[in-house]
Amino acid sequence: MKPPSHPPIAIIADAHFHDLEGDYGIASIQAAGRKLAMRPFTQVSRSTRVFNESTAALRTALDDIAVRGIHDVVLLGDYSDDGQVTTLAGLRKLLDGYSARYGMRFYATPGNHDIFADHGRHRAKGFANASGGHDLVTSDPERGRGEDDDSVIVWSGMRCMGYPEGLLALPDIGFFGVPGATLWETPFGIDSDPAARRYRVRSVGGATRELMDGSYLVEPFEGVWMLMIDANVFAPLDEPRDGHGFADSTDAGWNGMLHHKAFILDWMKDVSRRAREQGRTLLAFSHYPALDPLDGTRDDELVLLGETGMVRRVPDAEVGDTLIDTGIQVHFSGHVHVNDTASRQTASGFLVNISVPSLVAFPAAYKIVTVRNRLVEIESVGIGRMSLDTDLMAEYRRQAMRAGVETGGMLEVENYGEFLHAHLGHLVSRRHLKREWPEALAKSMRTMSLGDLARYAGAGSDAALENLDGITALDFLRDCYRVRMGSAFGVEAVGPVRLAVYEQVANRYRSLAEGMRSGPVESFRLLFKMYDRYLSGLPSRDFVIDLETGAITER
């Protein structure tokens, strides 16, 4: 018989809510009596996340959480599209509705898309119009029209807010207290006033600025403490850039925390000590990963592709060691839209980082954490069966036809999961190969077959490769990205038949000694080595963490 458990907590990362029926100062698309503030298909198809489906995806996740009777919900940063005034107003209305109907309590950490420094910044987004093109909506009155924009519309509600304004726009998601919680504090004490939660941050040249920190500790129910860490790092610039004086937080994350917000680490250590002394289970949450969420492939990717966006977002090993020294054992993160589990052990203890995938990118899932004595149980819940909005799909087809763009199979699907599966595959050829891969290597992946890749490894007979020539190298690369982003979800999506075929080629490259060859062969060897690591990672879907030993076992 299982030991008694505490109430479950649902965790949603990177919802990137865009209010599809919000007022962004545009005429909107008219569809079946609805007015849709719709982002154009051309932008959806080449972005790392989808936009127009975000409202339905968030509602689908929250509806499922409500059916399960879960009342405590974490929003793990990037809960908004880009922190816009109009978007946050729509999100507040949505969340308030779930609180009123189901008694849900929300606990958020801010992400890089939710807020910017002290005064915010201008934002600009394309919105589809009735003519089949798009208008640029911006908060910047000096923004000019781009080559593809039909017109420019200035709308103050497009501005991304700063601290504390952006947090005050959502006053009931933990930043300023939680009704019914038996404990709530910040690194500065128990005063929720933004003025009491300021710290100094220094530029490289020594200039200092003051910002608010949004971190807090809460005990939602007796026995479990949730450490909600504001890991946004907005470092001052000695020379202002793009009209503001702070560096973007996107690539800083925990690497920047060690340098600019060391006071948070001292507070974490104190919270960990008190939790142990009082017999509380401590769970930590922040937007940014504290361990490598890509199964230890950072160095290989750096060699293969250079400093990609993902490489820049992977924290240094020092971050994990530092968090272990604070006493933190379990940390949940978002930001990179990856479903993954990472673990690190030192003489001081262990740290497990659970990367929660986004709701608006493959594989689209949220997680449920349940504390049961000294065990932490994790369940991952996919929302891929969600129905697609028929009005949106019809409008996508109209826009794609007008623009003459490839759809990558995105518009020939039955549900949201298939839509995101095709979307990621489309991104591999339309975005990743173009932006991140060396030109010669990208050309090889576009023109070669899987059999050609196998022949480069040089082992075995050509007769054994005939069944591989009907599969393109690009087919493999798309599936490789699906496993990279989805881990267990990706393995399920690729399926056992195709996995077995890929294994034939991967096995050939395993026989090649590291560094013994150069050029394309070494590049392909690194690619299959990374693929192997994605496949062999820790349990990432349903698993249990033993807080005594750090052991992670599949459920």
Side-chain angles (χ1 to χ4, degrees):
M1 188 173 74
K2 285 187 176 182
S5 67
H6 295 284
I9 301 166
I11 306 167
I12 293 173
D14 298 272
H16 285 288
F17 172 81
H18 163 67
D19 193 352
L20 185 60
E21 299 186 11
D23 182 1
Y24 290 90
I26 58 175
S28 301
I29 293 289
Q30 303 290 324
R34 302 161 65 199
K35 297 175 71 174
L36 305 180
M38 180 182 179
R39 304 285 296 279
F41 178 75
T42 52
Q43 295 180 14
V44 171
S45 65
R46 60 176 182 256
S47 171
T48 55
R49 56 185 167 98
V50 299
F51 308 112
N52 302 309
E53 293 73 23
S54 62
T55 300
L58 181 55
R59 287 191 179 279
T60 295
L62 292 175
D63 287 345
D64 189 70
I65 289 166
V67 168
R68 294 169 183 264
I70 298 174
H71 298 286
D72 296 290
V73 183
V74 169
L75 302 175
L76 206 50
D78 282 3
Y79 38 76
S80 69
D81 173 50
D82 245 336
Q84 304 99 319
V85 173
T86 297
T87 302
L88 291 184
L91 178 59
R92 180 179 181 181
K93 181 178 179 181
L94 185 150
L95 297 179
D96 284 351
Y98 281 88
S99 293
R101 287 195 299 276
Y102 303 110
M104 286 185 185
R105 297 188 298 181
F106 294 96
Y107 314 81
T109 62
N112 54 299
H113 279 273
D114 300 318
I115 202 162
F116 187 84
D118 52 354
H119 295 303
R121 60 180 169 180
H122 289 303
R123 297 278 78 185
K125 305 291 180 182
F127 285 81
N129 58 37
S131 68
H134 73 265
D135 302 311
L136 185 73
V137 180
T138 178
S139 58
D140 184 358
E142 299 182 3
R143 179 69 179 257
R145 185 173 70 88
E147 182 179 344
D148 297 331
D149 303 325
D150 289 352
S151 67
V152 175
I153 299 169
V154 178
W155 180 251
S156 61
M158 188 55 67
R159 183 177 66 89
C160 171
M161 292 182 275
Y163 288 90
E165 182 187 15
L167 302 187
L168 290 166
L170 294 167
D172 302 320
I173 59 174
F175 294 122
F176 304 100
V178 177
T182 55
L183 169 70
W184 188 93
E185 67 174 59
T186 79
F188 310 93
I190 60 173
D191 190 347
S192 65
D193 190 327
R197 302 163 69 179
R198 299 185 70 80
Y199 69 99
R200 288 185 177 274
V201 61
R202 185 181 300 272
S203 72
V204 174
T208 60
R209 298 283 291 272
E210 276 199 355
L211 289 171
M212 175 197 169
D213 175 78
S215 304
Y216 57 97
L217 170 69
V218 62
E219 185 173 35
F221 38 77
E222 187 175 356
V224 174
W225 285 6
M226 292 165 50
L227 190 60
M228 312 300 293
I229 302 164
D230 178 358
N232 278 340
V233 175
F234 296 103
L237 298 170
D238 292 310
E239 296 183 7
R241 184 189 310 152
D242 298 328
H244 50 76
F246 288 89
D248 192 286
S249 182
T250 300
D251 295 338
W254 276 100
N255 290 337
M257 288 284 288
L258 301 193
H259 181 68
H260 291 291
K261 297 176 79 172
F263 70 95
I264 294 289
L265 300 170
D266 295 335
W267 177 58
M268 292 167 65
K269 185 175 291 188
D270 178 66
V271 169
S272 297
R273 175 188 57 78
R274 286 185 282 141
R276 289 192 302 272
E277 291 174 353
Q278 298 179 38
R280 268 40 178 184
T281 297
L282 179 63
L283 304 175
F285 304 82
S286 80
H287 182 58
Y288 303 90
L291 296 175
D292 181 353
L294 294 177
D295 302 299
T297 60
R298 174 189 180 178
D299 291 345
D300 289 329
E301 181 161 329
L302 189 59
V303 172
L304 181 66
L305 305 179
E307 194 177 50
T308 63
M310 190 67 84
V311 165
R312 291 194 298 271
R313 288 161 174 76
V314 173
D316 296 335
E318 182 187 4
V319 169
D321 294 345
T322 301
L323 263 62
I324 289 171
D325 289 343
T326 69
I328 300 297
Q329 294 180 312
V330 178
H331 175 261
F332 294 86
S333 66
H335 189 46
V336 290
H337 300 186
V338 167
N339 177 63
D340 183 75
T341 307
S343 178
R344 185 172 181 85
Q345 298 223 9
T346 69
S348 301
F350 70 87
L351 173 67
V352 178
N353 189 94
I354 298 107
S355 288
V356 182
S358 170
L359 291 186
V360 288
F362 180 86
Y366 72 92
K367 292 187 185 283
I368 300 170
V369 56
T370 304
V371 174
R372 197 183 301 275
N373 284 357
R374 296 294 291 163
L375 300 176
V376 175
E377 299 178 353
I378 309 293
E379 178 184 358
S380 302
V381 184
I383 61 167
R385 294 183 180 179
M386 182 184 94
S387 298
L388 291 166
D389 188 318
T390 55
D391 295 333
L392 277 178
M393 295 298 284
E395 188 60 31
Y396 282 160
R397 292 186 184 96
R398 188 171 76 91
Q399 292 173 16
M401 184 175 297
R402 179 184 185 273
V405 297
E406 296 179 15
T407 64
M410 294 171 60
L411 306 184
E412 293 79 44
V413 295
E414 296 295 326
N415 58 40
Y416 185 51
E418 293 178 6
F419 181 74
L420 294 179
H421 182 277
H423 178 258
L424 178 53
H426 191 57
L427 284 182
V428 171
S429 58
R430 299 292 296 173
R431 182 186 177 105
H432 297 308
L433 281 177
K434 285 185 175 181
R435 297 189 183 188
E436 299 177 343
W437 284 64
E439 186 176 350
L441 192 56
K443 182 178 180 180
S444 295
M445 298 306 295
R446 290 182 187 280
T447 58
M448 292 171 58
S449 71
L450 190 63
D452 292 331
L453 284 178
R455 291 182 184 96
Y456 264 98
S461 65
D462 280 350
L465 304 179
E466 291 179 1
N467 66 320
L468 304 183
D469 285 326
I471 300 171
T472 68
L474 192 53
D475 288 335
F476 164 71
L477 190 61
R478 286 169 173 148
D479 283 339
C480 184
Y481 270 84
R482 289 176 180 121
V483 177
R484 161 191 169 106
M485 303 304 290
S487 295
F489 285 104
V491 169
E492 180 182 70
V494 174
V497 174
R498 188 56 66 90
L499 288 170
V501 173
Y502 296 153
E503 175 62 19
Q504 295 179 49
V505 186
N507 194 47
R508 288 170 173 252
Y509 280 97
R510 291 187 198 111
S511 66
L512 299 182
E514 186 170 351
M516 291 297 291
R517 307 205 182 187
S518 60
V521 177
E522 178 60 13
S523 296
F524 299 148
R525 188 194 67 79
L526 280 173
L527 174 60
F528 277 94
K529 179 185 174 185
M530 293 164 63
Y531 171 71
D532 276 344
R533 297 297 297 270
Y534 302 149
L535 283 176
S536 60
L538 292 168
S540 63
R541 192 161 186 167
D542 301 323
F543 55 96
V544 179
I545 305 167
D546 187 328
L547 295 181
E548 296 295 336
T549 65
I552 302 170
T553 54
E554 207 136 17
R555 290 176 59 191

